[in-house]
Amino acid sequence: MSAAKTNILHLYRAFLRELPPRPFLTTPRAPLHQRLRDFVSSAAAPASAAVATPLHKPSIAEAEQLLAYLQAQREYVTLLERYNPGMGMDEETRVRLTAKRVGMDLPKEFKDGEEEK
């Protein structure tokens, strides 16, 4: 196998790692997944075999840039979730946990008709 074809297959596998997995193999491929497969098959095929060329054929350098972008986005989301744990919480839970962090316990709130046991 040539070095260019190996590089293309490496890029394809890296893209598959970055994309969300298909839940079942019987489900149809996403349009992005199909475009990746088309890119790999067209890049791996010899230039003389290309019958109809699109207006803009993506290059390997563009694919590498897109892969770097996807990896950076995944890392960004991971760091955002790690360092902003209250992002997905409601306001009441966030206030209670913030008070607990500084050593305070919020008093229990009673609703109408509720009694303390």
Side-chain angles (χ1 to χ4, degrees):
M1 219 187 302
S2 68
K5 189 171 182 179
T6 306
N7 190 19
I8 292 170
L9 290 177
H10 170 72
L11 279 173
Y12 179 68
R13 288 187 199 108
F15 271 114
L16 290 181
R17 282 191 293 271
E18 294 302 321
L19 295 176
R22 286 188 348 194
F24 303 105
L25 292 178
T26 57
T27 58
R29 289 187 179 97
L32 180 59
H33 186 108
Q34 190 60 42
R35 293 270 317 239
L36 281 173
R37 287 182 64 89
D38 294 343
F39 169 72
V40 169
S41 62
S42 68
S48 61
V51 177
T53 58
L55 295 175
H56 173 69
K57 184 178 178 184
S59 67
I60 294 176
E62 288 174 341
E64 288 172 345
Q65 288 176 356
L66 179 60
L67 180 62
Y69 172 75
L70 289 174
Q71 289 170 341
Q73 282 298 112
R74 180 177 44 85
E75 185 69 21
Y76 170 74
V77 168
T78 303
L79 292 173
L80 196 62
E81 289 171 352
R82 179 184 298 163
Y83 293 112
N84 297 315
M87 222 171 49
M89 294 180 199
D90 61 337
E91 186 68 26
E92 184 179 324
T93 307
R94 187 173 24 250
V95 169
R96 183 178 52 80
L97 291 176
T98 303
K100 223 175 191 164
R101 186 177 301 137
V102 296
M104 295 173 52
D105 285 328
L106 291 179
K108 185 174 180 181
E109 295 181 14
F110 294 102
K111 295 180 183 169
D112 292 335
E114 216 178 89
E115 294 181 20
E116 185 176 355
K117 294 182 181 177

